Amino acid sequence: MIYFDNAATTLQKPEAVKDAVMQAMTTFGNPGRGVHEPAMAASRAVYEARCTLAQLFHAENPARIAFTANATQALNTAIKGILNPGDHVMTTAMEHNSVLRPLYELEGHGVALTILPADRQGRIDYGGFEAAIRDNTRAIVCTHGSNLTGNLLDIGRIGAIAQRYGLLFVVDASQTAGVFPIDVQEMHIDILCFTGHKGLLGPQGTGGLYVREGVTVRPLLTGGSGVHSHNKVHPAQMPTALEAGTLNAHGLAGLNAGVRWLLERGIDTLRQKELDFTWAFYEGVKHIPGITVYGDFSQQERCPIVSLNVRDYDSAQVSDALFSTFGIATRPGAHCAPLLHDALGTGQRGAVRFSFSHYNTMEQINTAIAALREIAQEE
């Protein structure tokens, strides 16, 4: 099998990730729930994961990293934890439903929502952010990189706008954490939401959010924390404030191992390999008769994603043929990005997404190009 569905989850993980999870499964107790060695071993692993992620994201303090089950939970925590009825929030048509649906939900409870449109190449007009600002604007919430087109947003530019107008800036880094450099301080990011199972090479069921010093987020969940058990309210101090219940310490041990592996090898080196695959694939398919590629490929720096359609075939039909005939795993459909599909004109049939990893090979890229050429020639 050739695996080109890394934007959904990375299938190939470093051996260190697997080893860390297996060791944790046999040695960890409940982190923060005791002073015996199994509990302390779990607590140390969770703290090490905070430190490693703080290093990756240039956070000012490891305590500003709180863990969740995934980016969806992190985004729900951030969005619902900072917005109130009467507030105004801005986002873009590039967003995943993990951003859109919480915002639609809050819109039904009195939060005003502005969605900046995307053009036929999935691009945003940055001037739209400043033009949409109102007296009651509270925040900008947006993705760093599209999971459909691979287009990047200039997060530093948007962060500067947010800082200039005193707005909170929430970034969905699901497709970019571990792939592109993210400096939360330099980019003026107030809340960074991430998942562990994609570019960070960790297990599923891991993720989290960075919250800048001085920013308060209401917890999405309250309950057991391991501390202040006699208080009626959940602890307010980070990271406990956003972590109710037992953490996935086994998964976080694997996540820590994945991020350490990335830091040791250098994300710039790994990203260049992924972009080499991306551009080789794009150049190989863009002129095949009957194939339409989506996104802004004038952008040299982009997520390692190429989405396309073949003739008038439904995307699921093409994706099924790729796997059943050629053993190539891709993702068809809407990719939880309905507004961007509408902008691209692919709302009815979706698109076939190829998303690459540094574990892929150029031989696999060439095999996929040949497979698409064969499918496109079928009558």
Side-chain angles (χ1 to χ4, degrees):
M1 183 188 70
I2 298 174
Y3 188 79
F4 288 147
D5 196 18
N6 293 282
T9 195
T10 47
L11 179 64
Q12 291 95 346
K13 313 284 188 183
E15 287 299 318
V17 173
K18 306 169 192 176
D19 293 344
V21 174
M22 288 302 297
Q23 181 179 7
M25 291 291 291
T26 59
T27 58
F28 281 7
N30 196 321
R33 269 67 170 183
V35 294
H36 51 75
E37 180 51 31
M40 294 301 293
S43 295
R44 284 192 293 269
V46 170
Y47 180 70
E48 288 171 10
R50 292 193 212 281
C51 292
T52 306
L53 286 160
Q55 178 184 351
L56 179 68
F57 297 139
H58 299 271
E60 64 271 27
N61 184 342
R64 306 310 296 181
I65 304 287
F67 291 117
T68 61
N70 43 53
T72 299
Q73 186 180 342
L75 285 161
N76 271 264
T77 300
I79 291 168
K80 295 176 181 179
I82 62 171
L83 294 173
N84 300 295
D87 288 341
H88 171 241
V89 60
M90 292 181 284
T91 191
T92 80
M94 292 174 62
E95 307 308 315
H96 189 279
N97 274 335
S98 295
V99 169
L100 294 174
R101 284 176 172 165
L103 289 174
Y104 291 147
E105 181 182 343
L106 291 180
E107 189 179 26
H109 294 281
V111 172
L113 173 62
T114 296
I115 301 175
L116 272 63
D119 66 15
R120 293 285 288 192
Q121 290 184 289
R123 298 173 300 192
I124 298 296
D125 178 5
Y126 291 92
F129 287 106
E130 291 192 80
I133 292 174
R134 309 175 186 174
D135 290 342
N136 62 332
T137 302
R138 171 71 170 158
I140 298 172
V141 183
C142 70
T143 187
H144 187 188
S146 168
N147 73 317
L148 173 56
T149 64
N151 292 358
L152 288 178
L153 280 176
D154 187 339
I155 293 302
R157 182 176 178 181
I158 302 169
I161 294 171
Q163 185 190 47
R164 188 180 313 134
Y165 290 92
L167 309 179
L168 291 175
F169 186 33
V170 181
V171 175
D172 174 8
S174 295
Q175 294 298 330
T176 56
V179 181
F180 286 89
I182 298 174
D183 187 324
V184 293
Q185 298 185 69
E186 185 177 289
M187 294 174 169
H188 309 295
I189 297 171
D190 293 295
I191 304 175
L192 181 78
C193 300
F194 59 90
T195 191
H197 67 98
K198 298 184 183 184
L200 295 178
L201 302 177
Q204 294 176 8
T206 61
L209 64 166
Y210 154 83
V211 180
R212 183 184 295 278
E213 293 271 8
V215 175
T216 299
V217 178
R218 289 188 302 273
L220 185 68
L221 303 172
T222 59
S225 60
V227 295
H228 307 305
S229 295
H230 292 283
N231 288 356
K232 292 182 178 180
V233 296
H234 196 78
Q237 185 178 7
M238 282 286 290
T240 311
L242 302 181
E243 294 177 345
T246 297
L247 292 173
N248 178 10
H250 305 122
L252 294 175
L255 175 59
N256 182 51
V259 177
R260 289 180 65 85
W261 189 90
L262 288 169
L263 290 170
E264 289 167 1
R265 281 151 184 80
I267 64 171
D268 292 340
T269 299
L270 297 170
R271 180 177 68 258
Q272 187 56 57
K273 189 174 182 181
E274 293 172 356
L275 289 176
D276 288 345
F277 294 146
T278 302
W279 284 103
F281 180 78
Y282 171 72
E283 294 295 336
V285 301
K286 68 177 182 179
H287 294 307
I288 297 176
I291 286 187
T292 303
V293 179
Y294 304 100
D296 179 13
F297 283 86
S298 68
Q299 227 185 19
Q300 290 299 309
E301 285 288 293
R302 53 185 296 103
C303 296
I305 290 170
V306 179
S307 292
L308 55 81
N309 275 316
V310 181
R311 298 192 181 277
D312 60 352
Y313 302 147
D314 186 84
S315 62
Q317 183 181 0
V318 175
S319 191
D320 287 347
L322 284 167
F323 190 71
S324 61
T325 305
F326 302 98
I328 299 171
T330 59
R331 168 81 185 275
H335 313 91
C336 304
L339 298 184
L340 191 50
H341 272 288
D342 290 344
L344 299 176
T346 53
Q348 292 299 312
R349 60 175 175 159
V352 183
R353 183 182 68 192
F354 293 75
S355 49
F356 307 105
S357 164
H358 46 269
Y359 282 107
N360 291 130
T361 66
M362 199 59 74
E363 181 182 4
Q364 293 175 338
I365 299 297
N366 292 331
T367 298
I369 294 169
L372 284 169
R373 186 175 290 114
E374 184 174 330
I375 292 172
Q377 289 173 350
E378 293 177 358
E379 295 295 333

